[in-house]
Amino acid sequence: NLFLVGENYMSLFVFGHRNPDTDAICSAIAYADLLRQTGQSDAVAACCGAPNKRTEYVLKTAGIAPPKIIMDIRPETEDICRKETITASFGDAFFEAYRRMQEWDLRAIPVVDKDNRVVGVLSVLDLMELLFRDEGDPIKSRTVTTNLKKITEALGGSFQHEVDPEQSDELLIMVGAMRSDGFTARMQQFDKDRVIVVCGDRPTIQLPAIEQGVRGLVITGGFDLSPGLIELAKARGVSVLLSPFDTVNTTTRIRSSQFIDPAVNRQVVTLPAKMRVSEARAIVERSKQPVFPVVGDNGLLAGISFKSDVINPPRPQLVLVDHNELTQAVAGVEEADVLEVLDHHRLGGGLKSAQPIRFVNEPVGSTCTLVARQYRDAGIEPEESLALCMASGIISDTLFLKSPTTTTVDRTILEWLRPRCSVDLDDFARTFFEIGSALRTSTPDGVVQEDCKEFVERDIRFSISQIEETGFDLFWERKDELRVALVAYADKHRLDFSALLITDVVSNGSLLLLSRETEAWEEINYPRIDPGLYALKNVVSRKKQLLPLVTQLIQTAVL
């Protein structure tokens, strides 16, 4: 394929969930590496947002670049356009544009100015009009707008003498195939400065043409002009062109030297590079234009798309890690093909596939546990950086094996990773939990959105955010503004309520703050400290402890 379709667009993207935490980002990075090592060379780790402070610490310590941030997977026209292409410009000749189209197997190309701004579109059908227009008019059908240099290039010939070869003219082709007296009489009917005479080795035609002072004399068949006639041509200011072809082919090639300008469609429809393909489709379907130039914000040509590119674009291919619910997936997931899921959460709603997919969902404490186990079982030794990356995901999601979500598999895999890491994991874990306190460094909105997941239960839509802190002192200082941020988040996303779980990694307990509470919360069976605020002793897991509790409360209230 001569075209380059959107850089990295055709890659397989490995995505964690929205508002990604350490496990989501680290599992995406590690699993993309594993896929590349096992035959999926185009696998690319991606995420829906910037890493938080703790994840930044992990990546910096491990020496790993953050994954590619993609907030919306829905393709834009620049993603699917053909980046490497050819163009034409005003002043190009028919044969130049046609050869490019042939070389690239294109039926239309964009026309650009000297700054690469799109000024029109040129199609093969429009080009043919240059050759076959005005066939009923014997004069117009033999008229070409070009210059002598373009004629020589079209012939693959040369000059024996030249006068202003790049001067553009509306030239009339006359073939010297009749008696000299009749030809001379016919020549005198036209403006000599516009006449191009085509003939073979016929001095009886060459001499009167030169004496008349025609614009150019084309000698066919590989012949050239005699020394005496060349001197006369120089004296009369007649250009002499030499063609290796016979008269018929020479005449055809001269016609192919005419400028493309009249054939260019200047009422061109362009597509902005940042336009969604779904929006561009409506424009393309209404247009009869054969090719659609894609232009950047600067107005310059970025690529081209054909109608089929826009109407039936390639679908992005995804692997989802650390989530399986569409409400938690990258925006635009509905327009992509999910090929695989690797997760350790409950089964959510909305995920469908046209074909069978690989779906791994196991009750372990971390998705990184599942990824690391695949390395081990495949006999693939992870690099030190990736071993630390996966260990960090396990440490984060299991609170260094203290969370009730921790399983024997998590403990076994972390021990397998430990000697493969370049740092002491006990020291690393202490620093990890001390770094990046959301309550110390983030705005109220940032705290709510840092690790936020949305759920649907019995048509009740809600979100649960979670942060880990060393103590609750900062929470008490910011409680009121956090509640305001929760309410704003719920309103913005049209949720029935939003919750924030503040977990103390020292005491292994949590506080739960709600944007609003209904009668259902009376059944929570945990101490209510303030309106919308509960103390959850020994509750540290959103997945295994809090979410099942909230689900039960909702189900009870609905029943």
Side-chain angles (χ1 to χ4, degrees), residues 304-343:
I304 62 170
S305 286
F306 293 103
K307 184 168 289 189
S308 58
D309 297 332
V310 180
I311 294 177
N312 297 301
R315 289 169 65 88
Q317 297 187 324
L318 309 181
V319 170
L320 306 184
V321 296
D322 203 35
H323 68 298
N324 66 79
E325 300 188 43
L326 292 190
T327 56
Q328 298 174 11
V330 61
V333 66
E334 300 85 358
E335 297 183 25
D337 290 329
V338 177
L339 304 187
E340 185 175 351
V341 175
L342 189 63
D343 191 20

Side-chain angles (χ1 to χ4, degrees), residues 32-245:
D33 175 79
L34 181 62
L35 289 173
R36 290 193 295 271
Q37 293 200 54
T38 54
Q40 193 72 47
S41 60
D42 59 348
V44 176
C47 61
C48 307
N52 60 32
K53 296 295 182 182
R54 285 176 180 156
T55 310
E56 285 180 353
Y57 166 70
V58 170
L59 298 180
K60 183 177 180 181
T61 304
I64 296 176
K68 183 181 182 68
I69 295 179
I70 302 176
M71 303 302 294
D72 194 321
I73 200 64
R74 286 174 294 185
E76 297 172 339
T77 54
E78 67 177 349
D79 295 321
I80 64 166
C81 75
R82 306 169 187 221
K83 298 289 181 70
E84 185 182 337
T85 186
I86 55 158
T87 61
S89 299
F90 291 135
D92 285 349
F94 172 101
F95 74 90
E96 293 172 315
Y98 186 66
R99 283 174 184 171
R100 291 175 206 159
M101 291 182 182
Q102 280 188 313
E103 179 184 353
W104 287 68
D105 192 24
L106 292 172
R107 54 192 174 88
I109 56 176
V111 179
V112 298
D113 64 14
K114 61 182 179 62
D115 297 319
N116 208 36
R117 295 181 185 277
V118 177
V119 292
V121 164
L122 179 67
S123 72
V124 172
L125 291 177
D126 291 333
L127 268 180
M128 293 302 107
E129 285 292 316
L130 285 178
L131 294 185
F132 299 110
R133 65 179 179 174
D134 302 321
E135 287 186 301
D137 188 319
I139 301 301
K140 289 184 178 180
S141 64
R142 291 187 287 116
T143 300
V144 295
T145 301
T146 184
N147 62 45
L148 299 184
K149 182 179 179 182
K150 292 294 185 187
I151 291 176
T152 304
E153 291 172 353
L155 294 171
S158 60
F159 283 105
Q160 195 172 2
H161 174 61
E162 60 185 86
V163 179
D164 297 329
E166 296 188 39
Q167 175 183 309
S168 297
D169 293 297
E170 193 176 69
L171 302 173
L172 178 67
I173 305 171
M174 292 192 65
V175 178
M178 61 181 74
R179 291 177 52 183
S180 60
D181 53 350
F183 181 76
T184 301
R186 183 168 178 76
M187 232 185 344
Q188 291 173 343
Q189 298 176 14
F190 305 105
D191 180 359
K192 61 183 178 60
D193 292 330
R194 292 181 52 213
V195 173
I196 294 287
V197 174
V198 180
C199 68
D201 189 22
R202 299 184 63 182
T204 56
I205 296 295
Q206 296 166 357
L207 178 59
I210 295 172
E211 288 179 336
Q212 288 289 325
V214 297
R215 179 71 180 93
L217 176 62
V218 182
I219 311 299
T220 65
F223 296 103
D224 56 15
L225 209 57
S226 67
L229 288 179
I230 253 305
E231 289 304 316
L232 181 60
K234 291 178 180 179
R236 294 298 178 92
V238 176
S239 294
V240 179
L241 292 72
L242 306 180
S243 169
F245 300 101

Side-chain angles (χ1 to χ4, degrees), residues 349-376:
L351 182 60
K352 298 179 181 178
S353 66
Q355 302 294 331
I357 68 172
R358 187 165 182 256
F359 196 105
V360 177
N361 185 272
E362 295 191 30
V364 295
S366 164
T367 303
C368 279
T369 296
L370 302 176
V371 178
R373 187 177 65 184
Q374 288 197 35
Y375 273 93
R376 186 196 64 180

Side-chain angles (χ1 to χ4, degrees), residues 325 327 346 348-349 454-462 554:
E325 300 188 43
T327 56
R346 73 169 192 172
E454 295 182 11
F455 305 92
V456 179
E457 187 68 37
R458 296 291 183 92
D459 294 327
I460 302 297
R461 298 183 64 245
F462 61 98
I554 291 174

